[in-house]
Amino acid sequence: MAVSTTALLSRNTPVFDWYLMPESYSAPLIYEAIEEFNGPGSGMVLDPFCGTGTTLVASRLAGCKALGIEVNPFLCFASRVKTQDKFDVPLLRVELGRLLDMAGSRLEPASSEPEPTYDLPEMPRLERWITRRVALKVVTLRACIDECVSPANQNVPLLALASILRGVSNMKLSPHAFGSRQTKQDAPVMFVFEAKLRKMLRDIEWLGEQAAPGQARVIEGDIRGMRDLDEPLLPATLAVTSPPYLNNLDYTMQTRLELFFLGFIRDMEGLKQLRKRMMICDAKATYKDIEDWRRVEEVPAILEVAQAIDERLGDRGWGWDYGRMTRQYFGGMLRALEAVRPMLAPQAHFILILGESAHAGVLVPVPHLVAELGRMAGYTCEAVRVLRTRRSSSHRIGLNESAVVLRKT
């Protein structure tokens, strides 16, 4: 696997770019993994952290069956839309045309702020994330979707709407970073939405012209609790995934606008419960009632790294426990590796795309530590292949991003 791990190679490609995140890996990487370890047009590919569905879309287009598991309900929704089997294209075309006409009449002529006909999401600090004027345009467009599009077809415009939220907001998103940028008092919501929707419709028509793609299914849930999953598509002949990185990032931040504006989350309590179901990789969210750390409390290499971080920080952690975060993360990874193993066919490969991290100046060799956990979980580690080196500006060191190649034994 020598191709790029970034989502850049998936831009402007049919279906893959319906919704992308910077953390996504590239479609060519999945095609290469299928060619090397599975063979196109055969078998079943599993992604236990499927995110925006790159593995699933690539597997389907390669003629394979695919199963994805994802705990974030919005990302689960995005993956399902991108792997939908059938579309009623004539009806969809008519309904989308009606939607664009109605939305255009309600949004385009206005030179002032839209009338607050619809309620904004009860999202804390909403106007820091997105200007009120822009947010009102978004909820107006959301209401038009409900009025103009049948329930069976609503997923398409809803995903189109979700895909433009970040661009019309006041926030910027890059790999392993999220923050505010210059406030946008207004944004061309209708223009970018229409462009996205028309692109998706062209892709759907293109998809209908392709050879019958493989079957795909997406399950919402936490892989760590699915050791006894009863799923007809299993066992998998190959698993490929990119779990959350140990980068002290709250991954709910990446999709917070989408979660609230599409109604997957209603309030901060719902958001907290989602965070508790996700892999712990944020020092501000280690949660005392989650005890994944106990699974690795006697693994010397992990304890050594966690203790080095604790010693380096001393009392300068400001209440953010980086050592505990590290233990929690690797304990969660061990649980995930154990859960996936029964889902694999004998001798099947499990490829994990992982990056090193650094905290308090201490290098955390995540790929090699996960390889060690793989051995503990009953896999053979065939290789740790370095794919690229990322520069860490905060620590002034290079961090390797690697493919950990495990095989079920």
Side-chain angles (χ1 to χ4, degrees), residues 8-30:
L8 292 175
L9 296 184
S10 297
R11 290 182 180 176
N12 301 316
T13 56
V15 185
F16 288 101
D17 68 351
W18 288 3
Y19 184 92
L20 287 174
M21 293 179 66
E23 293 83 5
S24 303
Y25 44 35
S26 69
L29 184 145
I30 305 304

mmCIF file of all heavy atoms in Angstrom, residues 8-30:
data_model
loop_
_atom_site.group_PDB
_atom_site.id
_atom_site.type_symbol
_atom_site.label_atom_id
_atom_site.label_comp_id
_atom_site.label_asym_id
_atom_site.label_seq_id
_atom_site.Cartn_x
_atom_site.Cartn_y
_atom_site.Cartn_z
ATOM 1 N N LEU A 8 -7.747 13.430 0.070
ATOM 2 C CA LEU A 8 -7.585 14.275 -1.106
ATOM 3 C C LEU A 8 -7.883 13.515 -2.398
ATOM 4 O O LEU A 8 -8.463 14.065 -3.337
ATOM 5 C CB LEU A 8 -6.166 14.841 -1.154
ATOM 6 C CG LEU A 8 -5.807 15.865 -0.066
ATOM 7 C CD1 LEU A 8 -4.331 16.243 -0.170
ATOM 8 C CD2 LEU A 8 -6.679 17.101 -0.188
ATOM 9 N N LEU A 9 -7.476 12.248 -2.450
ATOM 10 C CA LEU A 9 -7.676 11.468 -3.673
ATOM 11 C C LEU A 9 -9.141 11.083 -3.886
ATOM 12 O O LEU A 9 -9.499 10.582 -4.952
ATOM 13 C CB LEU A 9 -6.810 10.208 -3.639
ATOM 14 C CG LEU A 9 -5.289 10.431 -3.631
ATOM 15 C CD1 LEU A 9 -4.559 9.106 -3.689
ATOM 16 C CD2 LEU A 9 -4.857 11.326 -4.791
ATOM 17 N N SER A 10 -9.990 11.314 -2.874
ATOM 18 C CA SER A 10 -11.410 10.991 -3.015
ATOM 19 C C SER A 10 -12.259 12.198 -3.404
ATOM 20 O O SER A 10 -13.467 12.073 -3.613
ATOM 21 C CB SER A 10 -11.951 10.404 -1.699
ATOM 22 O OG SER A 10 -11.307 9.187 -1.400
ATOM 23 N N ARG A 11 -11.636 13.378 -3.493
ATOM 24 C CA ARG A 11 -12.389 14.562 -3.890
ATOM 25 C C ARG A 11 -12.783 14.480 -5.356
ATOM 26 O O ARG A 11 -12.058 13.934 -6.184
ATOM 27 C CB ARG A 11 -11.562 15.826 -3.653
ATOM 28 C CG ARG A 11 -11.366 16.164 -2.175
ATOM 29 C CD ARG A 11 -10.588 17.456 -2.014
ATOM 30 N NE ARG A 11 -10.398 17.785 -0.612
ATOM 31 C CZ ARG A 11 -9.683 18.814 -0.186
ATOM 32 N NH1 ARG A 11 -9.085 19.617 -1.055
ATOM 33 N NH2 ARG A 11 -9.560 19.044 1.106
ATOM 34 N N ASN A 12 -13.963 15.025 -5.652
ATOM 35 C CA ASN A 12 -14.463 15.078 -7.029
ATOM 36 C C ASN A 12 -14.589 13.704 -7.661
ATOM 37 O O ASN A 12 -14.424 13.548 -8.873
ATOM 38 C CB ASN A 12 -13.563 15.979 -7.890
ATOM 39 C CG ASN A 12 -13.487 17.389 -7.344
ATOM 40 O OD1 ASN A 12 -14.495 17.976 -6.961
ATOM 41 N ND2 ASN A 12 -12.283 17.936 -7.286
ATOM 42 N N THR A 13 -14.840 12.699 -6.843
ATOM 43 C CA THR A 13 -15.058 11.346 -7.353
ATOM 44 C C THR A 13 -16.496 10.938 -7.048
ATOM 45 O O THR A 13 -17.049 11.296 -6.008
ATOM 46 C CB THR A 13 -14.090 10.336 -6.708
ATOM 47 O OG1 THR A 13 -14.229 10.401 -5.277
ATOM 48 C CG2 THR A 13 -12.664 10.636 -7.097
ATOM 49 N N PRO A 14 -17.134 10.200 -7.960
ATOM 50 C CA PRO A 14 -18.530 9.829 -7.748
ATOM 51 C C PRO A 14 -18.744 9.106 -6.420
ATOM 52 O O PRO A 14 -17.975 8.212 -6.056
ATOM 53 C CB PRO A 14 -18.834 8.907 -8.935
ATOM 54 C CG PRO A 14 -17.881 9.334 -9.993
ATOM 55 C CD PRO A 14 -16.626 9.713 -9.256
ATOM 56 N N VAL A 15 -19.750 9.512 -5.692
ATOM 57 C CA VAL A 15 -20.221 8.909 -4.452
ATOM 58 C C VAL A 15 -19.282 9.168 -3.271
ATOM 59 O O VAL A 15 -19.724 9.609 -2.208
ATOM 60 C CB VAL A 15 -20.482 7.388 -4.603
ATOM 61 C CG1 VAL A 15 -21.097 6.817 -3.332
ATOM 62 C CG2 VAL A 15 -21.371 7.106 -5.795
ATOM 63 N N PHE A 16 -17.988 8.906 -3.411
ATOM 64 C CA PHE A 16 -17.052 9.089 -2.299
ATOM 65 C C PHE A 16 -17.133 10.499 -1.716
ATOM 66 O O PHE A 16 -17.063 10.681 -0.510
ATOM 67 C CB PHE A 16 -15.611 8.823 -2.755
ATOM 68 C CG PHE A 16 -15.304 7.384 -3.011
ATOM 69 C CD1 PHE A 16 -15.272 6.885 -4.300
ATOM 70 C CD2 PHE A 16 -15.056 6.512 -1.966
ATOM 71 C CE1 PHE A 16 -14.991 5.558 -4.552
ATOM 72 C CE2 PHE A 16 -14.772 5.164 -2.195
ATOM 73 C CZ PHE A 16 -14.740 4.695 -3.501
ATOM 74 N N ASP A 17 -17.272 11.509 -2.577
ATOM 75 C CA ASP A 17 -17.211 12.889 -2.099
ATOM 76 C C ASP A 17 -18.572 13.461 -1.717
ATOM 77 O O ASP A 17 -18.693 14.662 -1.518
ATOM 78 C CB ASP A 17 -16.527 13.783 -3.130
ATOM 79 C CG ASP A 17 -17.343 13.964 -4.401
ATOM 80 O OD1 ASP A 17 -18.366 13.262 -4.556
ATOM 81 O OD2 ASP A 17 -16.959 14.796 -5.240
ATOM 82 N N TRP A 18 -19.581 12.617 -1.586
ATOM 83 C CA TRP A 18 -20.866 13.135 -1.119
ATOM 84 C C TRP A 18 -20.709 13.739 0.274
ATOM 85 O O TRP A 18 -21.348 14.721 0.595
ATOM 86 C CB TRP A 18 -21.914 12.026 -1.080
ATOM 87 C CG TRP A 18 -22.371 11.599 -2.444
ATOM 88 C CD1 TRP A 18 -21.913 12.049 -3.657
ATOM 89 C CD2 TRP A 18 -23.371 10.620 -2.738
ATOM 90 N NE1 TRP A 18 -22.560 11.417 -4.678
ATOM 91 C CE2 TRP A 18 -23.462 10.530 -4.150
ATOM 92 C CE3 TRP A 18 -24.190 9.810 -1.961
ATOM 93 C CZ2 TRP A 18 -24.350 9.658 -4.780
ATOM 94 C CZ3 TRP A 18 -25.064 8.938 -2.578
ATOM 95 C CH2 TRP A 18 -25.153 8.871 -3.969
ATOM 96 N N TYR A 19 -19.881 13.123 1.067
ATOM 97 C CA TYR A 19 -19.519 13.698 2.367
ATOM 98 C C TYR A 19 -18.140 13.174 2.728
ATOM 99 O O TYR A 19 -17.924 11.967 2.766
ATOM 100 C CB TYR A 19 -20.534 13.310 3.456
ATOM 101 C CG TYR A 19 -20.238 13.976 4.779
ATOM 102 C CD1 TYR A 19 -20.815 15.198 5.105
ATOM 103 C CD2 TYR A 19 -19.358 13.401 5.685
ATOM 104 C CE1 TYR A 19 -20.524 15.825 6.298
ATOM 105 C CE2 TYR A 19 -19.055 14.025 6.884
ATOM 106 C CZ TYR A 19 -19.642 15.237 7.188
ATOM 107 O OH TYR A 19 -19.340 15.864 8.371
ATOM 108 N N LEU A 20 -17.206 14.083 2.980
ATOM 109 C CA LEU A 20 -15.834 13.719 3.310
ATOM 110 C C LEU A 20 -15.394 14.424 4.583
ATOM 111 O O LEU A 20 -15.879 15.506 4.909
ATOM 112 C CB LEU A 20 -14.868 14.105 2.182
ATOM 113 C CG LEU A 20 -14.890 13.278 0.904
ATOM 114 C CD1 LEU A 20 -13.978 13.903 -0.142
ATOM 115 C CD2 LEU A 20 -14.446 11.835 1.184
ATOM 116 N N MET A 21 -14.450 13.813 5.282
ATOM 117 C CA MET A 21 -13.786 14.452 6.409
ATOM 118 C C MET A 21 -12.279 14.353 6.178
ATOM 119 O O MET A 21 -11.809 13.391 5.548
ATOM 120 C CB MET A 21 -14.158 13.766 7.721
ATOM 121 C CG MET A 21 -15.617 13.933 8.098
ATOM 122 S SD MET A 21 -16.034 13.077 9.638
ATOM 123 C CE MET A 21 -15.056 14.016 10.821
ATOM 124 N N PRO A 22 -11.508 15.323 6.655
ATOM 125 C CA PRO A 22 -10.057 15.272 6.450
ATOM 126 C C PRO A 22 -9.417 14.001 7.004
ATOM 127 O O PRO A 22 -8.390 13.554 6.505
ATOM 128 C CB PRO A 22 -9.548 16.512 7.191
ATOM 129 C CG PRO A 22 -10.703 17.449 7.198
ATOM 130 C CD PRO A 22 -11.921 16.574 7.313
ATOM 131 N N GLU A 23 -10.038 13.416 8.053
ATOM 132 C CA GLU A 23 -9.464 12.193 8.642
ATOM 133 C C GLU A 23 -9.687 10.961 7.769
ATOM 134 O O GLU A 23 -9.076 9.918 8.019
ATOM 135 C CB GLU A 23 -10.079 11.939 10.024
ATOM 136 C CG GLU A 23 -9.712 12.969 11.068
ATOM 137 C CD GLU A 23 -10.595 14.201 11.004
ATOM 138 O OE1 GLU A 23 -11.554 14.210 10.209
ATOM 139 O OE2 GLU A 23 -10.313 15.156 11.741
ATOM 140 N N SER A 24 -10.575 11.063 6.786
ATOM 141 C CA SER A 24 -10.848 9.900 5.932
ATOM 142 C C SER A 24 -9.594 9.492 5.164
ATOM 143 O O SER A 24 -8.785 10.327 4.786
ATOM 144 C CB SER A 24 -11.962 10.237 4.930
ATOM 145 O OG SER A 24 -13.136 10.650 5.583
ATOM 146 N N TYR A 25 -9.452 8.193 4.926
ATOM 147 C CA TYR A 25 -8.352 7.786 4.058
ATOM 148 C C TYR A 25 -8.853 7.724 2.621
ATOM 149 O O TYR A 25 -10.024 7.962 2.337
ATOM 150 C CB TYR A 25 -7.697 6.484 4.492
ATOM 151 C CG TYR A 25 -8.604 5.342 4.900
ATOM 152 C CD1 TYR A 25 -9.827 5.116 4.285
ATOM 153 C CD2 TYR A 25 -8.214 4.462 5.899
ATOM 154 C CE1 TYR A 25 -10.624 4.058 4.653
ATOM 155 C CE2 TYR A 25 -9.014 3.394 6.278
ATOM 156 C CZ TYR A 25 -10.208 3.202 5.652
ATOM 157 O OH TYR A 25 -11.005 2.137 6.014
ATOM 158 N N SER A 26 -7.961 7.414 1.697
ATOM 159 C CA SER A 26 -8.291 7.520 0.277
ATOM 160 C C SER A 26 -8.914 6.237 -0.255
ATOM 161 O O SER A 26 -8.612 5.130 0.201
ATOM 162 C CB SER A 26 -7.038 7.852 -0.529
ATOM 163 O OG SER A 26 -6.152 6.752 -0.534
ATOM 164 N N ALA A 27 -9.767 6.390 -1.256
ATOM 165 C CA ALA A 27 -10.359 5.232 -1.918
ATOM 166 C C ALA A 27 -9.304 4.332 -2.566
ATOM 167 O O ALA A 27 -9.393 3.101 -2.458
ATOM 168 C CB ALA A 27 -11.387 5.698 -2.947
ATOM 169 N N PRO A 28 -8.271 4.885 -3.249
ATOM 170 C CA PRO A 28 -7.263 4.007 -3.835
ATOM 171 C C PRO A 28 -6.574 3.102 -2.821
ATOM 172 O O PRO A 28 -6.177 1.981 -3.152
ATOM 173 C CB PRO A 28 -6.264 4.996 -4.460
ATOM 174 C CG PRO A 28 -7.090 6.198 -4.787
ATOM 175 C CD PRO A 28 -8.074 6.289 -3.657
ATOM 176 N N LEU A 29 -6.436 3.571 -1.575
ATOM 177 C CA LEU A 29 -5.823 2.726 -0.551
ATOM 178 C C LEU A 29 -6.663 1.475 -0.319
ATOM 179 O O LEU A 29 -6.131 0.366 -0.158
ATOM 180 C CB LEU A 29 -5.656 3.520 0.739
ATOM 181 C CG LEU A 29 -4.931 2.818 1.892
ATOM 182 C CD1 LEU A 29 -4.108 3.828 2.684
ATOM 183 C CD2 LEU A 29 -5.911 2.125 2.833
ATOM 184 N N ILE A 30 -7.985 1.626 -0.350
ATOM 185 C CA ILE A 30 -8.861 0.478 -0.140
ATOM 186 C C ILE A 30 -8.797 -0.466 -1.339
ATOM 187 O O ILE A 30 -8.731 -1.693 -1.178
ATOM 188 C CB ILE A 30 -10.309 0.932 0.096
ATOM 189 C CG1 ILE A 30 -10.376 1.920 1.261
ATOM 190 C CG2 ILE A 30 -11.202 -0.277 0.381
ATOM 191 C CD1 ILE A 30 -9.803 1.394 2.549
#
